[in-house]
Amino acid sequence: MSTNSRSNARAAWFFVLPAMIVMFVACLYPVISAIRLGFYDWSMGTPWAQAKWTGWTTFEIVFSDPAIWRSLWTTLKFAAVSVSAEMFLGIALALALEGNLRGMAFFRTLFILPMMVAPIAVGLTWRYLFDAQFGLVNALLGVFNVAAKGWLADETLAFAAIIVSDIWQWTPFVFIMVIAGLAGVDANVLEAARIDGARWWTLTTRVKLPMIAHVLAITLVMRLIDAFRVLEVIYVLTFGGPGDSTEVLSMYIYKTAFIGQKLGAASAISVLLLAVVMLLTWLALRMSNPLSDGENRR
Amino acid sequence: MSAGVDLIQVSKRFGDDTIVDGISLSAAAGEFIVLVGASGCGKSTTLRMIAGLEPVSGGRILIGGRDVTTARPDERDIAMVFQNYALYPHMSVAGNMGFALSLTRTPKDEIARRVGEAARILGIEDLLERKPRALSGGQRQRVAMGRAIVREPSVFLFDEPLSNLDAKLRAQMRVELALLHRRLGKTTIYVTHDQVEAMTLADRIVILDRGLIQQIGTPAEVFNRPRNLFVAGFIGSPAMNLFRATIAAPDAVELPGAGARVRLAAPLAGVAAGKPVILGIRPQGLSLGEGGGASSLHMRVRVAEFLGTETVLNGVLAVSGEAVTASVDGERAVLADREIDLSVDPVHVHVFDAETGLNLIQPAKEEEK
């Protein structure tokens, strides 16, 4: 290696190092600590020196508890229903509002407002909306002579309620991603498809959407990851109840850590959550990897 | 089957801007028509109106005698090749070429047969499984043409299809396009700003400027008998020399600034002496000659560009300082910064009315507006 290239490499390290330190401290260290915590029995507030090494025991206890699998199932259901609905509605809205019609910019801005609201505020807002006595939802149903329902008191309705609030908040994210993707589609390609005889449906399903498949894939991954980590809205709306009907994995982790004071167990469950999210991400990226050059895909 | 294309008083306006101003044009079945003009002249808009991608603001469009003015693009029996090829990036080459047929529920065997046939014609059989992004510019160009051929349309529309290729490939594809047209015999309307493409490919050239047709004619007609100053300046490379002049006699024009007199091939009829005109001389009509003749110009050469068979001399008229270009025999070395005498071949001389810009010598016969 010449002196010149060696000093180049040193300069490269010099510039990259700060970013690597930040990445390690902010991302990697918490993940490693969480995994390590799973192997210890430690209560918050006590010195770390008093933590006891338990090996795989915590993992064995936690994973043999049916509650964790139930909350994983609840999380899967929540993510599947809410993300599917968000993808469908977001794509439909984007297709309806793309283009440069007069007033569309106003509508587009209006549609992305929910995304900008803090999740806690979203939870509080929906709690009032779903309130059995004073809520707007029941008031609206009353207009159509439908009896008032205890939205957050019924297991099925509460599950529906958290899904509705998630759809309300996160459909705009899908919308804005798809709108941006569609804006990048070559207008000539769409014209070529029109000449080839594609009408609206075929143009959309066989040309437009496949052309933004990478945007859809990355949007899906980001929404799935977020849906698996959802906490604040459920915390405020139902706190996992009634019973454990809306107790998603992150809610269960929260309760284990801060109510049960079992940080080791909570960390062990976090590892499970991490594994599930990583698996989903890998699967989605495999289906349509935005970073691949597409040469090997048909 | 091939079909003729008729534009009848077709216009296109965007707000207050008139892009195409009531043009009429008839392309016979099997004819190769090239629309040529500078950027913004309305040529691409005209093509897009024929394709049905742009609604007309006025007038009618007929394809094969059928009024298609308001028909959808796929109902016009046309195929179009775009400047950027507009291939479907997520489909293979075969998928791109067969897409239109798959939409009409053509049996898979038939699609494969027609795609294979088009691929064979274009020499892209090896590329059928590839994605567009794995192709070179020239290969994409062929796929775009293949997609058009597979549909077996009555009319082919080309929107500057060669402008993204390098010079060598462009020349090669030009020849292939000409051969393809001869082989398929389909009516072709081709838009370009490149006059070499226009001259080499067209049966007839349509020269557009500011939304109006300036002249329609064969390549020889528009070169030898430009109807007006615009056509004279646009067609021909290097561009025609234009000088301020006055009529001296029915068969002679005087360049007051240059102190020279140029004799015409035939006398002008009905033009008064002293009338201000623009004298146009093709660079090819100037040759190195003896000084002192009636039709000779004195030129100060600034740059001599040796191109092999010819040398293009750029400079100014010695007296008036007006810019002049001469295309002379490449065998004779001409040095820069020399003063030379050029003799003028009357065949390459044109006289234009200084006010209307119309050619006074051989006005091309009035064709479509």
Side-chain angles (χ1 to χ4, degrees):
Chain A
M1 191 187 274
S2 71
T3 320
N4 195 19
S5 64
R6 207 176 302 139
S7 72
N8 270 350
R10 213 175 298 139
W13 275 108
F14 176 76
F15 286 110
V16 168
L17 205 60
M20 289 183 70
I21 292 170
V22 170
M23 279 293 287
F24 183 79
V25 172
C27 302
L28 221 51
Y29 178 72
V31 172
I32 293 168
S33 317
I35 294 170
R36 191 178 61 148
L37 204 52
F39 294 94
Y40 285 89
D41 179 11
W42 179 63
S43 294
M44 224 177 352
T46 60
W48 176 248
Q50 290 177 15
K52 275 189 294 185
W53 170 261
T54 55
W56 290 101
T57 320
T58 312
F59 286 91
E60 282 163 17
I61 293 170
V62 163
F63 292 137
S64 59
D65 180 0
I68 190 180
W69 301 113
R70 196 177 52 234
S71 68
L72 178 63
W73 176 236
T74 306
T75 313
L76 282 170
K77 274 194 299 182
F78 171 80
V81 177
S82 57
V83 173
S84 307
E86 285 156 18
M87 290 298 289
F88 177 79
L89 290 172
I91 292 169
L93 276 173
L95 289 170
L97 296 182
E98 70 169 328
N100 290 320
L101 292 177
R102 190 186 288 270
M104 278 305 169
F106 172 74
F107 277 108
R108 286 198 282 256
T109 312
L110 203 65
F111 273 113
I112 60 170
L113 280 180
M115 205 174 86
M116 301 174 188
V117 182
I120 286 283
V122 171
L124 285 170
T125 309
W126 281 97
R127 201 164 89 181
Y128 289 119
L129 289 173
F130 282 125
D131 190 275
Q133 271 190 294
F134 309 109
L136 188 66
V137 176
N138 274 347
L140 279 174
L141 289 176
V143 174
F144 299 101
N145 286 327
V146 178
K149 296 183 190 308
W151 285 99
L152 303 176
D154 178 278
E155 290 195 353
T156 313
L157 293 180
F159 190 71
I162 60 167
I163 285 176
V164 166
S165 67
D166 198 77
I167 292 171
W168 179 82
Q169 185 170 26
W170 292 113
T171 297
F173 172 74
V174 179
F175 167 76
I176 203 165
M177 292 289 280
V178 177
I179 272 275
L182 289 174
V185 170
D186 181 356
N188 281 157
V189 174
L190 302 181
E191 288 177 343
R194 281 174 61 201
I195 290 174
D196 272 348
R199 305 284 162 84
W200 187 87
W201 180 249
T202 33
L203 191 69
T204 303
T205 56
R206 292 186 62 181
V207 181
K208 265 190 201 175
L209 295 183
M211 279 178 76
I212 60 163
H214 56 295
V215 175
L216 298 178
I218 204 82
T219 307
L220 181 68
V221 169
M222 290 173 79
R223 275 313 304 139
L224 277 177
I225 292 172
D226 261 2
F228 268 83
R229 296 182 314 155
V230 66
L231 176 69
E232 299 98 321
V233 174
I234 295 175
Y235 182 96
V236 176
L237 262 184
T238 63
F239 202 67
D244 48 22
S245 59
T246 58
E247 193 172 85
V248 292
L249 214 46
S250 51
M251 194 72 230
Y252 186 67
I253 294 169
Y254 176 85
K255 284 180 176 174
T256 307
F258 299 108
I259 295 174
Q261 290 286 312
K262 289 184 280 189
L263 283 186
S267 291
I269 308 167
S270 302
V271 174
L272 172 70
L273 182 59
L274 181 71
V276 172
V277 169
M278 280 175 70
L279 179 74
L280 280 170
T281 309
W282 177 74
L283 277 176
L285 289 179
R286 213 182 122 87
M287 278 192 290
S288 178
N289 187 351
L291 302 176
S292 86
D293 63 359
E295 227 100 298
N296 301 320
R297 283 186 284 130
R298 282 283 172 92
Chain B
M1 207 184 74
S2 187
V5 177
D6 297 286
L7 306 188
I8 303 163
Q9 289 294 314
V10 171
S11 59
K12 179 68 188 178
R13 287 182 291 276
F14 290 108
D16 292 336
D17 294 333
T18 300
I19 308 299
V20 177
D21 196 1
I23 63 172
S24 295
L25 164 70
S26 281
E31 195 174 17
F32 199 124
I33 293 279
V34 174
L35 305 182
V36 69
S39 295
C41 71
K43 56 190 189 297
S44 281
T45 307
T46 303
L47 194 77
R48 290 170 59 78
M49 287 193 289
I50 297 170
L53 297 173
E54 208 73 69
V56 302
S57 305
R60 294 195 302 143
I61 297 172
L62 311 182
I63 293 178
R66 186 168 61 96
D67 192 331
V68 296
T69 312
T70 56
R72 272 196 301 264
D74 59 303
E75 295 170 340
R76 297 184 178 213
D77 199 13
I78 51 117
M80 184 158 166
V81 176
F82 291 83
Q83 183 175 6
N84 65 355
Y85 320 130
L87 300 176
Y88 309 120
H90 55 291
M91 295 182 200
S92 65
V93 167
N96 265 280
M97 289 167 70
F99 183 63
L101 297 181
S102 75
L103 292 179
T104 55
R105 300 189 192 287
T106 308
K108 280 187 177 165
D109 297 352
E110 173 68 5
I111 295 177
R113 189 189 66 74
R114 279 161 70 173
V115 167
E117 171 69 12
R120 194 179 55 74
I121 292 172
L122 295 163
I124 52 171
E125 293 141 300
D126 300 342
L127 307 177
L128 288 176
E129 295 306 315
R130 286 214 208 155
K131 285 278 177 57
R133 76 178 70 194
L135 303 176
S136 69
Q139 290 170 331
R140 286 179 202 190
Q141 176 60 57
R142 281 168 212 269
V143 175
M145 293 204 296
R147 183 168 64 179
I149 292 170
V150 164
R151 295 186 54 208
E152 297 177 359
S154 297
V155 179
F156 282 106
L157 305 176
F158 289 90
D159 189 5
E160 307 214 24
L162 306 184
S163 59
N164 285 355
L165 303 178
D166 63 53
K168 191 178 172 193
L169 198 52
R170 202 181 312 155
Q172 183 190 333
M173 290 302 287
R174 215 166 51 215
V175 173
E176 289 192 23
L177 265 170
L179 290 172
L180 195 66
H181 176 251
R182 199 187 300 167
R183 177 176 186 155
L184 301 175
K186 296 290 175 74
T187 312
T188 301
I189 300 184
Y190 186 106
V191 160
T192 182
H193 64 269
D194 181 347
Q195 56 161 306
V196 178
E197 278 174 36
M199 297 292 276
T200 52
L201 288 170
D203 291 326
R204 281 192 301 158
I205 297 178
V206 178
I207 298 144
L208 284 158
D209 182 41
R210 285 170 291 175
L212 287 167
I213 292 178
Q214 301 298 316
Q215 187 170 358
I216 303 176
T218 64
E221 279 169 353
V222 296
F223 184 81
N224 294 324
R225 295 192 286 134
R227 185 171 166 236
N228 57 31
L229 269 174
F230 179 83
V231 177
F234 194 83
I235 297 291
S237 178
M240 185 185 281
N241 295 295
L242 299 169
F243 308 111
R244 280 173 284 112
T246 50
I247 299 289
D251 65 346
V253 171
E254 189 157 337
L255 281 77
R261 185 177 268 231
V262 172
R263 197 165 294 284
L264 307 177
L268 295 170
V271 181
K275 180 181 173 63
V277 291
I278 304 287
L279 178 72
I281 308 172
R282 293 257 178 231
Q284 295 79 359
L286 296 170
S287 53
L288 298 173
E290 305 301 316
S295 284
S296 76
L297 299 173
H298 197 57
M299 175 190 187
R300 188 180 306 127
V301 178
R302 289 224 166 111
V303 177
E305 299 169 311
F306 176 69
L307 302 177
T309 55
E310 59 175 344
T311 296
V312 176
L313 308 176
N314 293 286
V316 290
L317 290 183
V319 182
S320 70
E322 287 177 284
V324 61
T325 304
S327 179
V328 301
D329 191 345
E331 296 297 311
R332 291 183 58 178
V334 178
L335 298 175
D337 298 324
R338 290 284 176 83
E339 291 200 3
I340 56 168
D341 284 311
L342 296 168
S343 55
V344 181
D345 180 356
V347 173
H348 288 285
V349 172
H350 301 267
V351 181
F352 300 95
D353 189 310
E355 284 173 30
T356 63
L358 290 174
N359 194 338
L360 297 173
I361 288 189
Q362 292 171 319
K365 79 174 182 299
E366 288 290 325
E367 291 172 86
E368 290 97 327
K369 183 188 168 189

